[in-house]
Amino acid sequence: MAAVPVVFNEAINLQQLGVPEASIKHGLTSMQSDKWIVCVEPSQVTLIDLQNNAQVTRRPIQAEAAIMNPTSNILALRSGTTLQVFNLDAKAKLKSHSMPEPLVYWKWTGPSNLALITASSVYHWSLEGDAAPTKVFDRHPSLGPNTQIINYHVSPDAKWCLLGGISAGAGGTVNGNMQLFSMEKKVSQPLQGHAGSFAKIKVAGREDPAQVLVFHEKKAESPQGEPPKLFVMEVGRDPSKGTPFRLPPTSIPVPADAVADFPVSLVIDGKNDVAFLLTKMGYCYMFDVHSGKTMYRAKVTQETVFCTCGQESTGAVFGITVRSGRVFRILLNGQALIPYITSTLRDNDLAIKVAGRLGLPGAENLYAAEFERLISAGQVQEAARLVAASGTALRTPATIARFQQIPAEPGAPQPVFQYFSTLLENGKLNEQESIELAKPVLQQGRPQLMEKWLKDDKLTCSEQLGDLIVSSDAGMALSVYLRANCHAKAVNCFVQRGEYDKIVPYTTSVGFKMDYSSMLSQLLFNNPQGALDLAKGLVNAEGGPLIDIQATAEAFLSSNRVQETTAFLLEALKDNKPEHAYLQTKLLEINLIGGAPQVADAIMQNGILTHYDRAHVGKLCERAGMWQRAAEHYTDIGDIKRVFKNSHQMNPEFVVTYFGKLNREQSLSLLKDMMSRGPQNMQVCVEVAKKYHDELGSEDLIGVFESNKATEGLYYYLGAIVNFSEDAFVHFKYIQASCMLGQFKEAERVCRDSNIYVPVEVKDYLKNAKLPDPRPLIHVCDRFDFVDELTDYLYLNSLLQYIEVYVTKVSPTKTPMVIGKLFDLGANEDFIKRILMAVGSACPVDEMVEIAETRNRLRLLQAWLEARVATGSTEPGTHNALGKIYITLNRDPKAFLTNNMFYDPKVLGPYCESLDPSLAFVAYKKGAGECDDELIAISHTHGLYRDLAKYLVERQDLELWAKVLNKGETEDGGEDPQRRQLIDQIVEWALPESTSADEVSCTVKAFMAADLPGELISLLERIILQGSDFSDNKNLQNLLILTAIRADTTRVAAYIDQLDNFDAKDIALICVSESHML
């Protein structure tokens, strides 16, 4: 029995995996790809991983339906109208949505699109973004609410959709209806049939693939017994490219026992362009998509198949039977297909076409017979196409010979060229075909055709083909040899083309062994550059160098190839290994001695070699005049000093950086040596000192500069650090250097602003230096109170203008100290006056007056003081000093003391006492009570009782009265004569002259408070009885009589007789009272 053209086997059984029978049916069990089967059970969802030995995973998920993404572990769940999508690997929800109406079918149409079919419409829901499902089209009326949707497909270009369903027909039949929808045109076409799908095939004679719709058609109105048909038609082709591919409908051979049977799915084997049609009753039909012919039919199961899907990698079809859960697999049996078609179907034409398209065995004899028939009939082109379609069956040397033997028709190409052209259109020539085509093409001088075919991979490369091409084009021959793995000849081509650098990588990659030494020896004389390229490749070979580096370098050098030797060693030594120290030294040596020091310099600059003999190379660099490189290689200070004799020819930046490699002693020694060689090194020495002063120490650096008398260098060095240094020595030396170089402004700045230097040290230096510009000294002496020494220095050195500058511009407040020193030095008074007038009010007056007074030179200040007063000065000190001058000069001092409002009586009062007590009295009186004690004392001392009496009356101060009237008796018990004299002046002169009632009243109260009845009587008599403005004053008359009643009754009667304005009644009552009895 002949083998059948399909392989059928049961893959797994869902019931055996624990899936209940009730869950194995349409809507609950789904298989979207060959990766997963998903079964929805009452309380869980079962996931069967077909890629992992059918491993079962059960998840406690409540859902009505579940389907797994065809490529990723993404599960879609449906409960009512709610849809959710989860990423099982990430354990995250991707999307969710509530549909406006329930779903009747759903399916993944691709890795990122979920098709949702409701009773009225079709939606697409993309996984990308957050968009909700999008309505694509409405269901056609032919797929009304009573139609059960069983399948949905989207074309490979995503521009066509096919919706399929079944519904009950007349007489118990099941009708099938499909809706083809164009996404671009937004139009639908109803089709009558049960199943269909899209495929993409390669049509003979066309460059572009054809997207075809394959579907089963069975019209409801068809006569009983009329077989269904298979349609294959292209959809979506651009009309400008030609007529769409379309096959005439072919009848499907339905067995007699399956008249009522109907398809449930159509699955395309895209690998072999075969369509599998599975029916409800378990029949399987296999069609050739290119011809529409049925190649096989068999009943593969007695159970209903409700779910199918294809396996893209093998072209197999999976199906699941309802309830039993058998998962079967149907696969094309290529070895048996052609024999089955020829022996069972007896369709040689189909056998030839399928065998040629799929490259299947079994049609060799058919091909041979057909070939002979076509050749005999002179149909050369058809014969060539047959050979091209036969796979390898007819593509033999004998076939080529047959075409070569056929004579050419006039005006037509040679038959053998027609043959090769047909083969090239359909694929790639084999080895013999490629050789036979190359011979005439190269003979005709058309190598560009060979190049094109090689580029398009239309020829099979071989050594013989390369040999044919090499004489015409070595590059093309190399391409052939490389593809044919003809290593020796490929190397020869590299040599012939001068591509020596490619030889070693190629031979290494393919594992080809050859004698490189002899090749190098030959190339050294003929092509040194080629030898270099080859040597580089050999030394860089994977697994280590294939040649001896030293021997190769010596070979290059023996041919006097310094440049090539250098290039080779640079490549060979690039890994910088310690064992290559000798070769590194040799590399540098041959360039330093051989006249290419710039090459050696570049090598050292890159720093790629570090193991060479540094001392030896350093000497070679020195001989070559490469001073910097020599210095880099020396460590002995003697060698370094020798090289640095040429430091003026070195880069200053290098010199400065170089010192960072030396220790402290070496740096100082080298720096001293460099300075000793003249001023040309001074600038760089300064830069070194500035950069490394912390490490070398400023004191030692200063010593180096000073030992070489490099004052200017010292100045610039210290100028860079003085602003940041806290070393007093640095500041002093900078001031010193600035002065020596005449940089007085800089010296002045440091003296003015620095708080670091030692004042005495700097002051002494500046004094001894006798600078023409003493301003630095002025600032030092001013800041640290050496004013006397400063004044002395400036005066004795005739720098009088700087004295004036100092007191006017620098420190006016220290003018008194300067003037005092000038007094001591006997300076000209006019000069002193000029200074004072220049300073003006900025000079502190009290201190100035004190200094002038101590030197008895106060009068010299008169003009200055008067000028201050003229400017509106109210300072007591100014007016005190001016008062002293006026008093001394007797320049109307009393007027000054009386009228001036700003002097201090406590200052001028004592000053006047020794000169004129009356002036002192005036001054004290000006104190308005603050100098009462002094005033009383001077009055008593100098007998100024009348003045004091008048002052007391005018002051009207009972406390002051008490001070002068409440005096005790003398030691011998007598009355104090001073008080008596004062009272007499009050009674006799001061009070009688007063015209103020308040003054009289206060004086009377004072006498009463002092308990002086006798004196009071005398006072009242003087006022009342001797005639005054107050003679008729009733109160005074009453007081006089009452005082007499208390103190001297003998006078009462006389007073009563003389007075006429007193309270007689009250006085009478007092007189007759028991205490007086008058």
Side-chain angles (χ1 to χ4, degrees), residues 168-323:
T173 60
V174 176
N175 295 333
N177 287 283
M178 292 181 289
Q179 178 182 354
L180 179 64
F181 179 76
S182 170
M183 299 283 280
E184 290 182 328
K185 299 180 181 179
K186 306 297 182 185
V187 295
S188 294
Q189 178 183 348
L191 304 172
Q192 292 194 50
H194 294 77
S197 188
F198 295 99
K200 186 172 279 191
I201 63 174
K202 180 69 175 70
V203 178
R206 268 178 54 174
E207 292 186 1
D208 60 314
Q211 179 178 262
V212 297
L213 170 64
V214 183
F215 66 95
H216 160 278
E217 182 191 74
K218 184 175 183 180
K219 297 181 179 180
E221 62 273 15
S222 298
Q224 184 70 24
E226 181 177 339
K229 294 181 174 57
L230 182 75
F231 278 76
V232 179
M233 62 180 186
E234 185 174 5
V235 292
R237 191 185 193 199
D238 185 353
S240 63
K241 293 184 178 181
T243 305
F245 175 79
R246 187 182 182 108
L247 294 177
T250 57
S251 297
I252 299 174
V254 178
D257 64 342
V259 175
D261 194 12
F262 63 90
V264 294
S265 69
L266 190 148
V267 182
I268 302 296
D269 173 3
K271 184 178 181 182
N272 299 303
D273 292 348
V274 171
F276 290 95
L277 184 70
L278 297 172
T279 71
K280 183 177 183 300
M281 295 178 63
Y283 278 96
C284 175
Y285 298 82
M286 184 172 68
F287 306 101
D288 173 30
V289 174
H290 287 261
S291 63
K293 293 182 179 181
T294 303
M295 294 190 294
Y296 181 69
R297 181 197 72 197
K299 190 168 187 175
V300 295
T301 178
Q302 298 295 326
E303 300 166 294
T304 301
V305 179
F306 73 92
C307 180
T308 60
C309 80
Q311 187 175 38
E312 186 176 343
S313 60
T314 64
V317 178
F318 286 95
I320 304 176
T321 60
V322 71
R323 290 187 296 276

Side-chain angles (χ1 to χ4, degrees), residues 11-12 14 25-40 46 48-51 66-70 105-108 151 267 305-311 316-321 325-330:
I12 58 173
L14 298 183
K25 64 178 182 179
H26 181 76
L28 294 181
T29 293
S30 63
M31 185 177 183
Q32 300 284 305
S33 69
D34 62 342
K35 293 186 175 183
W36 292 90
I37 295 176
V38 181
C39 303
V40 177
T46 299
I48 301 168
D49 188 353
L50 301 177
Q51 304 290 314
I67 52 176
M68 185 71 78
N69 186 281
Y105 184 81
W106 62 339
K107 180 181 179 179
W108 288 99
N151 227 318
V267 182
V305 179
F306 73 92
C307 180
T308 60
C309 80
Q311 187 175 38
V317 178
F318 286 95
I320 304 176
T321 60
R326 293 173 58 231
V327 180
F328 61 82
R329 181 171 179 266
I330 302 174

Side-chain angles (χ1 to χ4, degrees), residues 74-75 84-87 90 92-96 125 127 129-130:
I74 295 176
L75 181 66
Q84 298 182 84
V85 181
F86 293 89
N87 186 321
K93 181 193 290 187
L94 299 181
K95 304 187 80 169
S96 64
W125 192 17
L127 280 186
D130 299 325

Side-chain angles (χ1 to χ4, degrees), residues 957-1014:
D957 186 340
L958 294 176
E959 292 183 1
L960 179 59
W961 277 110
K963 289 182 179 181
V964 296
L965 295 181
N966 294 341
K967 292 287 186 177
E969 297 178 349
T970 60
E971 294 180 0
D972 57 1
E975 183 182 3
D976 184 355
Q978 292 179 340
R979 186 176 71 163
R980 172 46 53 192
Q981 292 183 53
L982 175 60
I983 291 173
D984 291 344
Q985 290 297 325
I986 294 169
V987 173
E988 297 297 332
W989 181 79
L991 192 61
E993 287 189 355
S994 175
T995 59
S996 171
D998 291 336
E999 290 178 355
V1000 173
S1001 175
C1002 183
T1003 303
V1004 171
K1005 290 179 181 177
F1007 273 76
M1008 292 172 64
D1011 194 19
L1012 297 171

Side-chain angles (χ1 to χ4, degrees), residues 519-570:
M519 181 180 290
L520 271 176
S521 299
Q522 295 175 2
L523 288 173
L524 265 174
F525 295 98
N526 303 325
N527 189 343
Q529 183 59 43
L532 173 61
D533 293 339
L534 178 59
K536 285 182 177 180
L538 292 171
V539 83
N540 286 323
E542 291 186 15
L546 300 176
I547 52 174
D548 182 86
I549 299 174
Q550 184 172 342
T552 305
E554 290 174 353
F556 276 106
L557 203 56
S558 64
S559 300
N560 199 28
R561 295 289 178 181
V562 175
Q563 185 175 345
E564 286 80 4
T565 305
T566 300
F568 168 69
L569 286 176
L570 281 174

Side-chain angles (χ1 to χ4, degrees), residues 75 103 234 308 336 349 362 368 407 449 538 545 571 604 630 832 863 906 911 1013 1041:
L75 181 66
L103 296 185
E234 185 174 5
T308 60
D349 182 62
L449 289 177
L538 292 171
E571 188 67 27
M604 290 182 281
I832 295 174
K906 290 189 177 182
Y911 182 76
I1041 296 171

